[in-house]
Structure formats: C-alpha cells, structure tokens
Amino acid sequence: MKLAPWNPRSWRSKRIEQSPNYPDLGKLAEVETKLSGYPPLVFAGEARSLMSKLANVSRGEAFLLQGGDCAESFDDFKANTIRDNFRILLQMAVVLTFGAKLPVVKVGRVAGQFAKPRSNDTETRGAKTLPAYRGDIINGIDFTESSRVPDPMRMERAYVQSASTLNLLRAFSRGGYADLHEVHKWNLNFVKKSIQNDHYENIAKRLDETLAFMAAFGITSQTTPQISEVDFYTSHEALLLNYEEALTRRDSTTARNQDGFEGDWYDCSAHLLWIGDRTRQIDGAHVEFLRGVKNPIALKCGPTSNPDELIQLIDILNPENTPGRLTLTSRMGHEKIEKHLPPLLKRIKAEGRDVVWCCDPMHGNTITSANGYKTRPFSHILSEVRRFFEVTKANGCHAGGVHFELTGKDVIECTGGDQAITSENLASGQYETLCDPRLNASQALELAFQLCK
C-alpha cells in the first residue's frame, strides 16, 4: 500500500472521529504551541524497552498485564489512588508469574488516560440536551452548559497531572516499594476480608521461602536489582490527537546520518498508545497519526473487525512486521468471541504477521442493570477470558495478555465474583466511575487467580 509521506501534522488532512468541537481555535492553537515546548513525559529508550519486552510476549516468552482506570480524573488526583492502582497490578503480576512461570510485562492505563470515546455526541437528561462528557482532558462531567464546553486549557492540566503521576510511579517502581520482600504489605485492607486474601498469602509465603533460599546464596535486593525494582510502563488511548501531536518529539539519541535523517518520531505522552474500536478507520486520522510514531502501539478489534481490513491496518501500522510493535486487543464480548475471533486469528497466522494477541474482556460485556446502572457481570468477564485462551490455542496462536479496567479502590461497579455483588449493591454509594464500570481490587485479584487455573 502506497502511503503519502508522514509528519506529526499529517493526520489533520484525514477525516476524524470522536473529536471535540473547540469553540475557540485560537486558544487551542496557543495551548498546542505551549505543550510542544514542554519536556517529554516519557523517553524513546523506555518505549524501545517496552517494545523489546512485547516482542518476548509475541514469542510466548512473557505475558502482558495491562490495566487501570477507565478514565483518570482531575478531582480524584491523590497519591493514595495512584499507589493503590499500582499495587493491585503488582499483586496480579505476582500471581500471574507464579501461574504462568513467565515474566509479566506491566503496563498501566495511567498518566494520560483522560479522553474517552462516546457512543453519542450528546447526553439528554429530562428535557435538557448537552454535549457528551468526553473525559477531563476535554470537558467536565457536571451536567451544565459551561462544564460541557470543550476547553483546550484542560490539556495543560492533564500534562501536569501526568507528569506528577509518572514521578510518583517511578519512585514506587525504583525506590523499594516494589521489592518482592514487601509482597505482604501490598494487600489492601478490604481485600483481607475476602477469600482472595488466603490465596494471595499462600503465594506470598512461598515467595518468602524462595527469597530466603536465594539469600543463602547471596542473591538479595542489594545484589540483584530485579528483586527490588520493576519496569512499569504507561499507556492510554491516543484519542485527542491535538494533545498527542503536541507531545511528539524526535529521538534526540539518534544522530543525524549522511542521508540527513534526524531521528525517529516518538509520541512522548506514553510508552504505548492504542487505537480504539471506534477510531480504527483505514483512512482515518488516528491510524494516520500512529503509523508514524515509533512507540509500540495497540489496536482494538471488535465484532465488526474483518480479516481483510485487519491486514490492511497491519500493513499501515506495522509494515516491517517488527516484533513487539503491534498488539491486537480483542474486545468481542463473551457471547461473540468464539464466532468473531477465529477468522482474525487464522488470517493473521496464515499471513505470518508478528503480533501480540491480548484480551480486553471489559468493553464487550457492558450491560445496564435493572435499576439503571451501567455494569459488567464478573462471570461474563471471566467467560470471555477463558474463551480467549481456548480459541487462540485451538487456532495455533499464543494468548499473550489481558487488558482490564480496574481500580485499587473499594468500589462496587461490576456485579458478581466471590463478593457476590448484586445490581442492588450498585446503589450503595460506592459506584464512583466517570464512564465505565471497573473491577475492584478483590475482583481483579480473583480474576488473576482464575487466569492461573
């Protein structure tokens, strides 16, 4: 497929979906210019490191765990929230490492997951209709005319919050909090009341015994950094392209060569960016933008994806078939995955395309409860994950990872699980999500144990 030359602005000539209508284009341009002069949030070398690890995933030598909030909030920006989301991913990774006997690549939906695609451009309550809430980076969740007007200044606030979040995550991952000797301390208080606590403590005890055995041979946190540190990467949906372009930089570590090459472009807003099911148009702006940056990227595949279209998208997004460059994230729904995923698996395998197959069991399993709450039944989430593993294996492919919307907070948003949450419980006041229902820490840990089985 012959493509026109790429530059960070070439997406602007393409049709675009899910884009806000800013009333003040002058202010928008001013904020974009300001952001383009700010320091990068992540670095090219970090993105390359993640791509190398994802290449291991594609070969079946590692497993991808991706998770975090459905949408980050300006109002709920607290160190404890960031810490609790980080440690539930650490806990899940420990459980999965024991179960799979493989390294787990840890990627958070964090430090940039502020924009959300919406099914409708407007929201109606009673006789009043307003623009839909599209995430804190674009407009406010309050149902008022002033709140719902897209405001470009929110991009700057998102940048500042992302920078602060990354600073804390780097401290957690490198400053001793992630030390495997602290595995008992990672448990959240409300998880200790659940059946998952006993399962988790059993693994923690076995890990203590292993670490004590290794220490007898001189292998400790001081001699082996892998025991006390973790590599933790960030990701978000590259939905608001004005923000993504403003944070796109040339790799300064790449020297100019005799042909005048000045370095690869990286989107320095996150290590991994993904294209959603609503914005994967072959001739669309989001595909155009992400084809040109060198980050590892992901593509959501829903029930409407077809093999021919998917091959065309891979030709655009990963023309050199680089291992670790492209993750295909299946989000079919538990009742549809056995019908819609096999044709994609067969075609990609037959074409010899090198991809990571990942399962998002959240977005295809959203329902509205009898009392009007958007929710996701735990049994449906688990069912889709199980079927994903079965279907990939039956078609000779590797189930490389999972992608969950989850939180370390004690929320009640998804029904079922060992906590036996019902639709009536959703009205308890612990339903806090801005957009989509999330697994709480107990449910997330339960799911990790079920994955091990």
Side-chain angles (χ1 to χ4, degrees), residues 312-326:
Q312 290 181 67
L313 285 167
I314 294 173
D315 284 341
I316 295 170
L317 297 171
N318 191 21
E320 297 177 2
N321 205 29
T322 303
R325 159 69 172 175
L326 183 60

Side-chain angles (χ1 to χ4, degrees), residues 137-177:
I137 196 172
I138 294 171
N139 57 4
I141 196 168
D142 293 339
F143 195 69
T144 64
E145 291 185 16
S146 58
S147 177
R148 292 300 175 90
V149 174
D151 179 3
M153 290 299 296
R154 287 175 167 268
M155 287 193 285
E156 188 172 16
R157 185 171 178 184
Y159 171 89
V160 171
Q161 182 168 320
S162 296
S164 298
T165 299
L166 275 161
N167 182 57
L168 190 58
L169 287 171
R170 287 186 169 115
F172 283 146
S173 61
R174 299 291 176 181
Y177 187 85

Side-chain angles (χ1 to χ4, degrees), residues 18-121:
Q18 299 288 330
S19 181
N21 294 314
Y22 288 104
D24 189 338
L25 297 182
K27 176 63 71 173
L28 173 62
E30 180 183 325
V31 173
E32 289 174 345
T33 299
K34 195 172 183 181
L35 284 173
S36 67
Y38 283 180
L41 292 171
V42 303
F43 305 101
E46 295 172 335
R48 286 193 292 269
S49 171
L50 175 57
M51 190 178 296
S52 175
K53 288 178 168 59
L54 290 172
N56 293 336
V57 174
S58 73
R59 291 189 290 267
E61 299 168 1
F63 190 79
L64 169 64
L65 172 63
Q66 187 173 359
D69 268 318
C70 71
E72 292 178 274
S73 165
F74 288 164
D75 292 335
D76 190 27
F77 178 44
K78 300 179 180 67
N80 286 352
T81 301
I82 299 167
R83 178 202 63 202
D84 291 350
N85 286 356
F86 176 69
R87 66 179 175 180
I88 186 57
L89 287 171
L90 289 181
Q91 284 185 291
M92 293 178 75
V94 165
V95 172
L96 292 172
T97 301
F98 260 83
K101 304 296 187 293
L102 289 172
V104 173
V105 181
K106 292 165 279 293
V107 180
R109 293 170 56 107
V110 67
Q113 181 57 19
F114 291 104
K116 292 293 291 182
R118 305 317 303 259
S119 300
N120 300 300
D121 290 335

Side-chain angles (χ1 to χ4, degrees), residues 37-320:
Y38 283 180
L41 292 171
V42 303
F43 305 101
E46 295 172 335
R48 286 193 292 269
S49 171
L50 175 57
M51 190 178 296
S52 175
K53 288 178 168 59
L54 290 172
N56 293 336
V57 174
S58 73
R59 291 189 290 267
E61 299 168 1
F63 190 79
L64 169 64
L65 172 63
Q66 187 173 359
D69 268 318
C70 71
E72 292 178 274
S73 165
F74 288 164
D75 292 335
D76 190 27
F77 178 44
K78 300 179 180 67
N80 286 352
T81 301
I82 299 167
R83 178 202 63 202
D84 291 350
N85 286 356
F86 176 69
R87 66 179 175 180
I88 186 57
L89 287 171
L90 289 181
Q91 284 185 291
M92 293 178 75
V94 165
V95 172
L96 292 172
T97 301
F98 260 83
K101 304 296 187 293
L102 289 172
V104 173
V105 181
K106 292 165 279 293
V107 180
R109 293 170 56 107
V110 67
Q113 181 57 19
F114 291 104
K116 292 293 291 182
R118 305 317 303 259
S119 300
N120 300 300
D121 290 335
T122 59
E123 179 184 355
T124 300
R125 299 184 189 178
K128 192 173 185 179
T129 298
L130 294 175
Y133 169 66
R134 293 185 174 275
D136 279 5
I137 196 172
I138 294 171
N139 57 4
I141 196 168
D142 293 339
F143 195 69
T144 64
E145 291 185 16
S146 58
S147 177
R148 292 300 175 90
V149 174
D151 179 3
M153 290 299 296
R154 287 175 167 268
M155 287 193 285
E156 188 172 16
R157 185 171 178 184
Y159 171 89
V160 171
Q161 182 168 320
S162 296
S164 298
T165 299
L166 275 161
N167 182 57
L168 190 58
L169 287 171
R170 287 186 169 115
F172 283 146
S173 61
R174 299 291 176 181
Y177 187 85
D179 194 315
L180 288 174
H181 292 90
E182 305 295 313
V183 67
H184 293 281
K185 297 180 181 179
W186 295 344
N187 226 346
L188 294 151
N189 288 332
F190 75 92
V191 176
K192 292 179 180 179
K193 304 172 186 176
S194 75
I195 192 174
Q196 307 313 319
N197 182 66
D198 293 338
H199 298 321
Y200 180 74
E201 285 299 322
N202 179 53
I203 286 181
K205 181 180 178 182
R206 292 167 62 190
L207 184 56
D208 283 343
E209 294 170 350
T210 302
L211 290 171
F213 177 79
M214 292 165 60
F217 291 92
I219 304 172
T220 66
S221 299
Q222 288 70 41
T223 63
T224 310
Q226 292 91 332
I227 294 176
S228 61
E229 301 175 357
V230 298
D231 291 324
F232 189 80
Y233 301 97
T234 64
S235 68
H236 62 257
E237 181 174 358
L239 194 63
L240 184 58
L241 295 183
N242 308 80
Y243 180 78
E244 305 302 336
E245 179 194 326
L247 288 172
T248 299
R249 309 280 189 271
R250 283 196 185 275
D251 176 15
S252 61
T253 65
T254 306
R256 179 190 290 268
N257 62 23
Q258 64 271 20
D259 299 320
F261 178 70
E262 297 180 78
D264 291 324
W265 290 99
Y266 283 83
D267 183 346
C268 296
S269 69
H271 300 108
L272 180 148
L273 293 307
W274 76 80
I275 300 169
D277 196 46
R278 295 183 177 94
T279 53
R280 54 177 170 78
Q281 297 79 22
I282 289 173
D283 60 346
H286 294 85
V287 171
E288 170 63 21
F289 176 77
L290 282 185
R291 79 175 175 91
V293 296
K294 294 298 184 179
N295 307 61
I297 59 176
L299 178 70
K300 292 287 188 79
C301 303
T304 59
S305 298
N306 68 72
D308 290 339
E309 177 194 54
L310 190 53
I311 289 296
Q312 290 181 67
L313 285 167
I314 294 173
D315 284 341
I316 295 170
L317 297 171
N318 191 21
E320 297 177 2

Side-chain angles (χ1 to χ4, degrees), residues 295-369:
N295 307 61
I297 59 176
L299 178 70
K300 292 287 188 79
C301 303
T304 59
S305 298
N306 68 72
D308 290 339
E309 177 194 54
L310 190 53
I311 289 296
Q312 290 181 67
L313 285 167
I314 294 173
D315 284 341
I316 295 170
L317 297 171
N318 191 21
E320 297 177 2
N321 205 29
T322 303
R325 159 69 172 175
L326 183 60
T327 296
L328 298 180
T329 307
S330 167
R331 37 93 74 222
M332 301 290 180
H334 76 289
E335 293 180 320
K336 298 179 180 179
I337 187 169
E338 290 175 320
K339 176 182 178 181
H340 294 288
L341 184 56
L344 304 182
L345 293 167
K346 292 174 183 176
R347 182 66 179 278
I348 301 307
K349 183 180 180 183
E351 295 271 355
R353 303 309 173 95
D354 197 317
V355 301
V356 172
W357 283 106
C358 179
C359 177
D360 168 4
M362 309 296 291
H363 286 87
N365 293 304
T366 307
I367 63 171
T368 301
S369 67

